[in-house]
Amino acid sequence: MNNPLRSLARSEYAQNMYRASKENGIKLFVNDSNLGHLQLVYLSFLSVYDSIYTDIVSDMLDDAVMDMERIKDDFLVDCYLTYKRKNRNKKDKPEKKKNLSGIPSISFVQPKKRR
Amino acid sequence: MGNEKSKEILQKDLAKKLQQLNEKEQLESLIKDNKIEFEVKGIKYRVHKPNNFEGLQVRKARTKKYIELLKDDTYMLREQLIDLYKGKGIDIEQLEEDIKEIGLQIEDIQEKVAPIPTESKEIISNYEQQVKDLVQKQSEISIRLSELLEYSVENEILEFSNLYLIYNVLEKLEDDKWIKCFKTYEDFLATENETLILEATYNLSMLVFKAKI
């Protein structure tokens, strides 16, 4: 069963309000500061769904599947987010160059300057 | 209401309660500001997120209670309790590791599911069930951990702070004015209105406590 707070956050109405608040400073809550826990969770869901909608529209999905139907399923969204995070981490790590020549390689390190 | 197990149950109930809020308007009214109104036996009550002054009051009371418990030899610190359990063959750190390990297993399954086409409903459904089972397992270990560490000074302090916070922010509507529900903390503790305290705890959970939502 889907989480109602997430359902609200991904709705067209909530997403429009979120964009309006970012672009025009429209208030999402009565209070401006000292946000409550539920408000913070809701804000983070708004941001998460905003980024997924952007991924769908801009086709930035790599191998993971996400579309307007799949986004309605919390489990599939969680899978997509985990996939995205893990694969981003993999991409961020620079790949070590493989030595295919069979000849032992030597890496040259610049000696530290003596004071 | 006085132990960690009841808090776990409370968290589950809170999640269930949120599931029942199908009406968009109901949900919106919960997040529109930092106040939640509710009714018990025909009387209107509300809780609000504590302001800086109320937060400071809770902090002061908590510090006082902490010093009091440290002086009391019948209470043990979390670390002492962990050592004691070690001597009896219960490894708290291992249980904490198990929770983390299950978290990684869940992530591995999620990563596998992401590229599976939506048409492969049965495969996705099987993986979803596996995740549910793992979450259940994680929750059981977490409850066991909470039970084992229930009598630590740290847990006593947490319980005390939560109750003291509820006492501080619980108000009732009288003659169209919101007034503090209990004059003193002792009055609050002495109340037999369990429903009121439970409702206040549920609602305050949504504002301040780190409930799993």
Side-chain angles (χ1 to χ4, degrees):
Chain A
M1 200 176 180
N2 284 344
N3 178 323
L5 199 62
R6 290 174 70 159
S7 303
L8 179 65
R10 73 164 171 266
S11 69
E12 199 182 335
Y13 160 79
Q15 284 295 315
N16 285 340
M17 288 293 285
Y18 179 60
R19 265 172 242 129
S21 81
K22 281 205 295 188
E23 287 159 21
N24 308 319
I26 285 174
K27 282 170 72 168
L28 288 175
F29 310 119
V30 174
N31 51 310
D32 288 325
S33 57
N34 198 22
L35 297 180
H37 177 62
L38 206 60
Q39 292 176 324
L40 291 171
V41 173
Y42 178 63
L43 268 183
S44 73
F45 281 144
L46 281 173
S47 161
V48 162
Y49 282 104
D50 177 51
S51 78
I52 298 177
Y53 280 121
T54 309
D55 286 353
I56 294 172
V57 173
S58 58
D59 209 14
M60 298 274 289
L61 300 168
D62 296 327
D63 297 329
V65 187
M66 183 48 64
D67 51 38
M68 298 304 264
E69 197 51 42
R70 237 166 133 110
I71 200 171
K72 291 177 192 161
D73 187 319
D74 288 358
F75 172 67
L76 292 176
V77 167
D78 288 342
C79 294
Y80 174 72
L81 293 171
T82 303
Y83 182 94
K84 207 174 147 185
R85 178 172 49 80
K86 282 194 159 189
N87 285 277
R88 188 177 50 221
N89 289 347
K90 277 180 202 163
K91 276 180 192 168
D92 289 346
K93 280 181 196 163
E95 272 185 40
K96 279 185 184 172
K97 281 182 186 170
K98 284 179 185 169
N99 179 4
L100 301 171
S101 65
I103 303 165
S105 60
I106 303 163
S107 57
F108 294 94
V109 180
Q110 208 169 356
K112 283 179 189 171
K113 282 180 186 174
R114 282 186 188 171
R115 285 184 184 175
Chain B
M1 216 185 64
N3 61 37
E4 276 285 318
K5 190 178 178 183
S6 68
K7 240 189 281 166
E8 285 288 335
I9 294 165
L10 207 73
Q11 280 194 348
K12 279 188 181 168
D13 286 351
L14 177 65
K16 241 187 248 168
K17 207 175 170 171
L18 268 172
Q19 296 284 6
Q20 287 160 1
L21 293 170
N22 290 323
E23 297 289 326
K24 190 167 105 334
E25 290 73 22
Q26 264 181 299
L27 196 57
E28 277 182 308
S29 74
L30 276 183
I31 52 174
K32 70 174 182 190
D33 57 20
N34 273 328
K35 299 177 187 97
I36 298 179
E37 286 182 28
F38 57 97
E39 211 173 294
V40 177
K41 291 173 191 165
I43 301 172
K44 274 191 176 173
Y45 297 92
R46 77 173 182 189
V47 285
H48 61 267
K49 192 181 179 214
N51 56 34
N52 287 342
F53 178 74
E54 286 160 338
L56 193 69
Q57 294 294 107
V58 175
R59 206 178 149 76
K60 267 186 189 173
R62 188 172 57 199
T63 309
K64 198 176 155 194
K65 186 81 179 172
Y66 185 64
I67 304 291
E68 194 185 302
L69 293 181
L70 276 183
K71 287 179 186 166
D72 189 333
D73 289 338
T74 52
Y75 287 97
M76 289 180 117
L77 289 163
R78 192 179 188 275
E79 291 300 317
Q80 291 175 304
L81 212 50
I82 289 174
D83 280 344
L84 194 70
Y85 279 125
K86 240 180 214 166
K88 291 189 177 289
I90 300 168
D91 193 343
I92 298 284
E93 278 152 4
Q94 185 55 52
L95 288 173
E96 286 169 342
E97 275 305 310
D98 291 348
I99 291 178
K100 278 186 207 163
E101 177 54 38
I102 293 173
L104 293 176
Q105 287 175 25
I106 291 172
E107 285 192 353
D108 283 345
I109 295 175
Q110 288 174 330
E111 199 183 0
K112 271 186 214 162
V113 172
I116 298 176
T118 316
E119 295 75 42
S120 309
K121 283 193 168 57
E122 208 180 319
I123 302 172
I124 294 176
S125 167
N126 282 340
Y127 277 126
E128 190 173 5
Q129 191 53 49
Q130 282 181 34
V131 168
K132 277 181 188 164
D133 293 344
L134 285 170
V135 169
Q136 176 64 26
K137 209 167 148 190
Q138 211 176 26
S139 169
E140 281 165 16
I141 301 174
S142 170
I143 290 173
R144 173 135 200 265
L145 258 180
S146 302
E147 281 174 346
L148 288 167
L149 296 172
E150 188 186 335
Y151 302 105
S152 64
V153 169
E154 288 85 345
N155 192 54
E156 283 296 322
I157 289 298
L158 192 68
E159 288 291 334
F160 170 78
S161 313
N162 290 346
L163 284 176
Y164 199 79
L165 186 60
I166 296 166
Y167 152 69
N168 257 285
V169 299
L170 181 59
E171 296 170 295
K172 69 175 170 183
L173 192 64
E174 228 175 65
D175 302 326
D176 287 333
K177 274 183 188 168
W178 287 106
I179 57 162
K180 214 169 165 187
C181 195
F182 296 99
K183 281 186 181 144
T184 66
Y185 183 57
E186 285 67 32
D187 290 346
F188 168 78
L189 288 180
T191 184
E192 286 178 3
N193 196 343
E194 282 274 322
T195 321
L196 170 63
I197 305 303
L198 267 178
E199 278 291 318
T201 313
Y202 284 138
N203 290 307
L204 197 59
S205 298
M206 297 193 222
L207 296 178
V208 286
F209 303 146
K210 295 277 179 283
K212 287 169 195 159
I213 295 167

